[in-house]
Amino acid sequence: MWSVDEAIRLQEELSKQVIVADQFSDPVKYIAGTDVEYDKDTDLIAGSIVVLDYLTMETMEVATHCMEAAFPYIPGLFSFREMPPLLKAFEKLKIIPDIFICDAQGLAHQRRFGLACHFGVTINLPVIGCGKTRLYGEYEGLGIERGSIAPLMAQDNGQHIGNAVRTQKGINPVFVSVGHKISLETATGIVLRMSTRYRLPETTRIADHYGRLAMEAYKN
DNA sequence: GCGACAG
DNA sequence: ATCTTGTCGC
């Protein structure tokens, strides 16, 4: 595997490849969600990818993969832990989605290379980062209404690296940032559109559900 | 040295 | 991530 130093060098190198402009087919047909489940008493992790019809939000395909975690959880090196099962699940997909939404950060990362960037650059497809909690960057003045947005600013150079987004009135925001081949504005709009009734986008919720099932099935 | 720290 | 039911508040 990678040493911590090697992993950081790789991030610094690959981060140069991130594309922050919209590069996907105009009428978006399929949107995917990714998530990774953990087992509480083993090292097993399950990667899960679900493909939804962008307009109807109907589930079109599910792909999962269970394996042993090969890298520890280190804030900032998260992708080295969760990428392996996600790539395995990706290889099983028959439908190639137009856009992915990862349950983690993209550019809103200390080296501007969170899991959403690493995954996106690796598969060379559009990816949005949508984390449940903040990793890097500061924000203030986020409104209470659904649809409120506050810029996430990097503390090291003041760069606008993401958005804190209120997907439901009075509920904690999610943190949206560019993964690859999409703009922050487009990414933010898509996350809001996919978060119709809950805090998290449907893509993430459904991926989480199937990941849980896959873990159970694998253990039995 | 102390606090922060995606899942 | 995970341990975990009812409960406080709008």
Side-chain angles (χ1 to χ4, degrees):
Chain A
M1 256 310 148
W2 297 275
S3 69
V4 168
D5 281 353
E6 290 170 338
I8 291 175
R9 296 291 170 272
L10 187 54
Q11 289 183 327
E12 291 171 342
E13 190 55 37
L14 292 178
S15 65
K16 300 169 185 168
Q17 298 178 24
V18 173
I19 295 173
V20 299
D22 293 327
Q23 286 188 10
F24 46 85
S25 57
D26 194 337
V28 173
K29 177 65 177 164
Y30 298 116
I31 186 155
T34 82
D35 190 33
V36 175
E37 302 293 324
Y38 289 73
D39 180 48
K40 71 177 180 68
D41 36 40
T42 70
D43 272 3
L44 290 177
I45 56 179
S48 170
I49 302 180
V50 297
V51 182
L52 308 190
D53 182 289
Y54 186 65
L55 293 180
T56 68
M57 295 206 192
E58 177 187 0
T59 300
M60 307 304 292
E61 187 179 354
V62 177
T64 60
H65 187 85
C66 289
M67 63 190 293
E68 293 216 341
F71 200 88
Y73 170 65
I74 301 172
L77 299 179
F78 189 47
S79 62
F80 293 87
R81 182 170 176 76
E82 294 205 346
M83 278 272 284
L86 284 181
L87 288 177
K88 285 291 189 182
F90 174 73
E91 290 168 8
K92 296 177 182 177
L93 281 182
K94 292 173 184 165
I95 299 174
I96 299 304
D98 297 298
I99 300 171
F100 291 75
I101 301 179
C102 280
D103 182 32
Q105 316 295 332
L107 289 180
H109 176 279
Q110 44 270 64
R111 284 174 294 279
R112 312 297 187 269
F113 201 68
L115 169 64
C117 297
H118 200 161
F119 187 60
V121 164
T122 301
I123 65 177
N124 197 28
L125 290 172
V127 178
I128 294 168
C130 179
K132 293 186 286 292
T133 59
R134 189 194 65 87
L135 168 67
Y136 197 78
E138 301 171 326
Y139 71 100
E140 54 187 17
L142 178 62
I144 203 69
E145 296 296 326
R146 165 178 156 82
S148 298
I149 295 167
L152 249 191
M153 310 302 289
Q155 45 267 61
D156 56 4
N157 63 3
Q159 184 185 3
H160 183 189
I161 56 176
N163 281 154
V165 180
R166 194 87 71 179
T167 55
Q168 299 298 333
K169 181 178 182 178
I171 299 297
N172 288 154
V174 295
F175 299 85
V176 177
S177 58
V178 170
H180 191 46
K181 292 192 165 182
I182 196 163
S183 66
L184 178 58
E185 294 65 33
T186 302
T188 300
I190 289 177
V191 166
L192 271 172
R193 184 186 182 285
M194 297 306 291
S195 308
T196 50
R197 353 182 4 188
Y198 299 97
R199 178 166 85 113
L200 301 179
E202 285 304 301
T203 39
T204 302
R205 292 171 42 79
I206 297 173
D208 175 89
H209 175 252
Y210 283 104
R212 193 153 297 176
L213 293 183
M215 179 65 84
E216 284 308 312
Y218 187 82
K219 291 174 68 180
N220 301 323

